[in-house]
Amino acid sequence: MAEAPPTTLTSGRAGRAIRRFRITVISGPARGKSWSEARERCAIGSHPSNDLVIGDGTVSRFHCELTIAGNAVRVRDLGSRNGTLISDVAIADAKIGGGRVLGLGDSEVRIDIDPEEVRLLASERSQFGQLIGESAVMREVFSQLEKIAASSATVLIEGETGTGKEGAAEAIHDASERAQKPFVVVDCSAIPPSLLEAELFGHEAGAFTGAIDRRIGAFEQASGGTLFLDEIGELSADLQPKFLRALESREIRRVGASRPVPCDLRIIAATNRDLRAGVNRGTFRADLYYRLAVVKLVLPPLRERSDDIPVLAKHLLARIGATPAMTAELTTPDYLAALAAAPWPGNVRELRNHLEQCVVFGERIMPSAPRTAHSASEVDATQSYEIARRQALDAFERKYLTKLLERAGGNVAAAARDAGINRAYLYRMLGRHGLR
């Protein structure tokens, strides 16, 4: 019997075991350059912030991202100009085996998967601030959070809607040396672009119509502490250079003011989009992305950590204020299994909303079927009319809103225009379904 390949441990406590993979440039200006680290992901492109930088004019600044997935590598194109090709066929998202060659413009790279395994660094925690989880993937997140909190670096948190990006940002602040200072939150998607500059930087009296008094902006409010900017991808093209200057100099100029104001603060930004694709499209500045992504934290969707459903359900029910009897009813093995099998496009936020709905109606409501959309024609006659009706309507709304946001690239204002509804009403619907 062949001897098992060695397993390499990264420093610290051991987490998940993953296969090590290597990427080698086999043609083009960067021929001979390679990447091989004990990490799960590798970003490739011409921008210097990539893991593997290929200095080739036909390679986009952020071309593609590769992730090890068992015995295969997932390849995801990031909206590159010339595409990511396998055997001259352009791909958007695909899994490939070792030994395959990818075409990136005029360059080619070969992917090799080593028999050796590495174990990712994991924390012993099962909670970090508001984030809860006992799965290996969440303990790896907690390990990263421990290091991030101990630093003063600017952080970019990526993750789908409802994965807990604001909770992660607040946890970083609370565990940092700035914990006793303000934690200020600005949701860039909830403020009209015309008002966002004044929200961030403040304004002097008389700076514009309606500016009766001086107003202190979020940068000054957060001085000494942390400024969390949610949905940073919503920054308008006009505001991005002003924000970049403030980020670099740590000083702002109020609207209508002549003198700058210094601000000592840490900045944490978050997005449910891939900003690198925005850089490739020209909608997000490359230099701003570079300044924001000094440290990147990726929060996993709930479907990738379904083992956490039991502990999450108990925690959420306690926060909702469910009675012991209702908690017992909603944490039986069969119901937890149904919760774990559901897709949860709104992630933890949607799970919380679902459990709260169960508590309000005083009975178990079955979640959507695994990985498939619920049809309004499929009803459960064992439940009351009101529950069945609400469940069918919720399934339709959730499916419609998810597709609507995808079509609008996550832009709520554009989604509201496409749907022909008021933006405030759309926000309420998104919040009800845990999608925003």
Side-chain angles (χ1 to χ4, degrees):
M1 184 176 179
E3 189 176 3
T7 297
T8 303
L9 296 181
T10 57
S11 59
R13 291 149 290 190
R16 287 179 301 149
I18 63 168
R19 299 285 291 277
R20 184 192 289 271
F21 68 107
R22 291 176 288 116
I23 307 168
T24 306
V25 183
I26 60 173
S27 71
R31 181 178 179 180
K33 198 170 186 179
S34 65
W35 176 94
S36 177
E37 295 184 19
R39 291 168 53 193
E40 196 172 11
R41 290 182 177 87
C42 176
I44 305 176
S46 58
H47 194 275
S49 65
N50 285 283
D51 301 302
L52 177 58
V53 180
I54 299 179
D56 178 343
T58 64
V59 173
S60 293
R61 285 179 286 194
F62 299 100
H63 203 102
C64 62
E65 183 176 72
L66 278 60
T67 308
I68 190 70
N71 295 323
V73 171
R74 179 188 176 191
V75 181
R76 188 166 61 91
D77 185 79
L78 299 175
S80 62
R81 183 174 65 255
N82 292 314
T84 301
L85 284 69
I86 300 178
S87 301
D88 295 327
V89 176
I91 61 169
D93 194 332
K95 283 187 178 181
I96 63 173
R100 299 298 298 271
V101 173
L102 299 177
L104 314 177
D106 293 337
S107 296
E108 290 182 313
V109 299
R110 187 183 68 244
I111 313 301
D112 293 297
I113 302 175
D114 294 345
E116 176 191 7
E117 287 185 334
V118 294
R119 287 193 176 275
L120 302 177
L121 185 64
S123 171
E124 293 177 352
R125 295 171 180 255
S126 59
Q127 181 171 358
F128 197 102
Q130 300 176 32
L131 301 183
I132 304 288
E134 297 176 348
S135 62
V137 67
M138 280 307 290
R139 290 191 298 109
E140 290 158 17
V141 169
F142 296 156
S143 176
Q144 295 174 63
L145 285 169
E146 289 168 356
K147 293 183 176 63
I148 292 170
S151 77
S152 59
T154 301
V155 184
L156 177 63
I157 303 174
E158 296 181 340
E160 296 178 7
T161 295
T163 49
K165 296 184 289 295
E166 183 174 341
E170 190 166 6
I172 292 169
H173 171 77
D174 290 343
S176 74
E177 60 182 14
R178 297 178 180 267
Q180 302 307 313
K181 299 296 184 178
F183 176 74
V184 177
V185 179
V186 175
D187 185 346
C188 299
S189 67
I191 303 170
S194 59
L195 301 179
L196 188 54
E197 181 178 357
E199 182 72 25
L200 291 173
F201 306 139
H203 61 75
E204 297 290 345
F208 50 83
T209 304
I212 300 173
D213 300 311
R214 170 187 284 180
R215 186 178 190 279
I216 301 301
F219 266 78
E220 288 183 80
Q221 293 173 31
S223 194
T226 302
L227 174 59
F228 173 60
L229 299 166
D230 200 7
E231 300 307 339
I232 191 70
E234 297 290 336
L235 280 183
S236 67
D238 292 340
L239 190 51
Q240 286 179 32
K242 298 176 183 178
F243 180 76
L244 176 61
R245 283 195 296 272
L247 186 61
E248 291 178 329
S249 65
R250 288 300 195 272
E251 63 178 28
I252 57 93
R253 194 185 303 271
R254 300 189 197 112
V255 178
S258 57
R259 295 183 179 179
V261 178
C263 299
D264 169 29
L265 76 168
R266 182 182 197 173
I267 292 178
I268 302 177
T271 178
N272 63 3
R273 305 186 197 180
D274 194 323
L275 296 183
R276 296 169 298 183
V279 171
N280 288 339
R281 290 194 302 270
T283 59
F284 201 83
R285 292 177 62 115
D287 48 2
L288 178 54
Y289 174 82
Y290 189 57
R291 287 291 184 180
L292 286 171
V294 175
V295 175
K296 262 180 61 171
L297 176 71
V298 180
L299 296 181
L302 189 54
R303 62 183 175 274
E304 292 181 6
R305 60 182 190 106
S306 56
D307 290 351
D308 286 331
I309 292 284
V311 66
L312 279 171
K314 292 174 184 176
H315 172 76
L316 293 171
L317 287 167
R319 292 191 64 181
I320 291 167
T323 64
M326 200 67 224
T327 298
E329 177 73 10
L330 296 174
T331 54
T332 60
D334 63 318
Y335 193 65
L336 289 175
L339 293 178
W344 303 118
N347 295 291
V348 178
R349 185 182 298 145
E350 185 184 359
L351 174 64
R352 185 193 189 282
N353 289 356
H354 179 85
L355 292 172
E356 188 166 14
Q357 189 178 56
C358 292
V359 171
V360 168
F361 284 103
E363 63 179 292
R364 298 198 305 187
I365 302 172
M366 297 306 294
S368 300
R371 309 294 183 267
T372 60
H374 179 87
S375 169
S377 63
E378 298 172 3
V379 296
D380 184 357
T382 64
Q383 301 196 85
S384 68
Y385 168 79
E386 185 56 36
I387 290 287
R389 177 180 174 276
R390 182 72 253 174
Q391 188 173 5
L393 181 58
D394 283 349
F396 162 75
E397 283 188 352
R398 185 164 54 246
K399 180 181 178 182
Y400 178 80
L401 294 172
T402 300
K403 295 293 186 183
L404 182 67
L405 280 178
E406 287 177 0
R407 182 168 177 259
N411 187 308
V412 177
R417 286 195 299 271
D418 291 345
I421 59 178
N422 181 274
R423 185 169 66 172
Y425 178 63
L426 177 57
Y427 266 113
R428 287 197 295 274
M429 284 201 297
L430 291 171
R432 185 166 66 245
H433 291 285
L435 297 173
R436 178 64 67 176

